[in-house]
Amino acid sequence: MKLISWNVNGLRACLGKGFLEFFQGENADFFCLQETKCQAGQVELDLPGYHQFWNYAEKKGYSGTAIFAKEEPLSVAYGVGVPELDTEGRLITLEYPGYYVVTCYTPNAQEGLKRIDHRMAWEDAFRAWLTGLDAKKPVLICGDLNVARTDIDLKNPGPNRGNAGFSDQEKGKIEELLSCGFTDSFRHLYPDVTGAYSWWSYRFNARKNNAGWRIDYWLVSDRVKEQIQEAAIRSEVFGSDHCPVELDILL
């Protein structure tokens, strides 16, 4: 089974930068998007063979997620089940007979960590949601989780220590989540690889110089981690300030 996740940083813009060509060339079983930045009716995609699921933010041109799936799910859930956290279209969960697929766009703590309290509330609700699913069947979780786990997950850890995406609070929350029974698929296969990033600032020629961060993930329930065949960071794909990340797994 092949699954792809991509923060497209505005789907309408990405459509003009080769999105459909990439989508059609991959033939993935699941294609999960974050930061779609659109409302219902603003984007109509003709994707034969795929079921489409969209979660829109109430605020126009902001956040949003989508999943395009070959197989129709048993059920679909939008959000983490906490009304005050579910206005920004950040989570979609598809249920299948043997597993769940979840796409997530984690809130950014923002400059000066001014939204860190909201971020921490989201992290706790997200972890509770995932552990509830995991108690029933394995979960495959993807998305822009807006955190680099360790120093090797970003080019310049020193100057960024304590900043949004690399604060102790955020790093602590992803480790807490993993300790509840989930595996970072890329680090499971490539524990020591450096220079592997999924997001680059548009400033300072960051992508050209590979001055990036690894903040896009595929996490899986621990009990299926040995079934991971590949966890690829598709840095050759342009169209956004993020690149797609891929999971190939036998389920």
Side-chain angles (χ1 to χ4, degrees), residues 186-247:
F186 182 78
R187 285 295 171 218
H188 176 66
L189 296 185
Y190 308 108
D192 303 313
V193 166
T194 60
Y197 309 127
S198 64
W199 174 79
W200 303 262
S201 169
Y202 280 133
R203 299 182 295 170
F204 313 122
N205 290 314
R207 191 155 188 175
K208 181 181 177 182
N209 297 322
N210 198 30
W213 299 50
R214 188 178 74 94
I215 58 175
D216 300 88
Y217 295 82
W218 275 102
L219 311 180
V220 306
S221 293
D222 283 350
R223 61 190 179 279
V224 296
K225 67 183 180 182
E226 300 308 329
Q227 291 155 247
I228 297 169
Q229 296 178 292
E230 179 59 284
I233 298 177
R234 302 289 300 277
S235 57
E236 80 282 4
V237 179
F238 288 77
S240 168
D241 53 348
H242 295 250
C243 73
V245 292
E246 178 181 337
L247 174 69

Side-chain angles (χ1 to χ4, degrees), residues 17-133:
K17 301 175 183 177
F19 174 84
L20 285 175
E21 292 83 351
F22 175 67
F23 177 88
Q24 290 160 356
E26 291 301 308
N27 192 32
D29 296 286
F30 294 90
F31 213 101
C32 305
L33 306 184
Q34 305 87 40
E35 208 170 359
T36 53
K37 293 184 177 179
C38 58
Q39 307 300 122
Q42 286 187 317
V43 175
E44 298 291 341
L45 294 180
D46 181 23
L47 305 176
Y50 286 87
H51 303 274
Q52 301 186 30
F53 306 93
W54 300 79
N55 194 0
Y56 305 105
E58 292 178 6
K59 181 180 175 181
K60 290 183 178 179
Y62 181 74
S63 190
T65 50
I67 302 181
F68 311 138
K70 284 186 176 180
E71 185 181 342
E72 187 171 4
L74 299 175
S75 68
V76 186
Y78 299 95
V80 290
V82 180
E84 59 268 27
L85 296 175
D86 285 335
T87 63
E88 295 177 349
R90 293 186 177 276
L91 199 79
I92 303 173
T93 302
L94 304 187
E95 180 187 6
Y96 291 90
Y99 56 92
Y100 293 95
V101 174
V102 178
T103 190
C104 176
Y105 178 39
T106 299
N108 192 305
Q110 299 185 353
E111 188 174 353
L113 303 183
K114 63 183 179 182
R115 212 183 185 204
I116 193 70
D117 290 345
H118 177 81
R119 169 68 176 262
M120 294 296 101
W122 171 270
E123 293 281 5
D124 291 341
F126 181 50
R127 186 177 64 257
W129 178 259
L130 294 180
T131 55
L133 298 178

Side-chain angles (χ1 to χ4, degrees), residues 175-187:
E175 298 309 323
E176 188 177 352
L177 172 60
L178 293 170
S179 73
C180 289
F182 300 98
T183 294
D184 175 350
S185 63
F186 182 78
R187 285 295 171 218

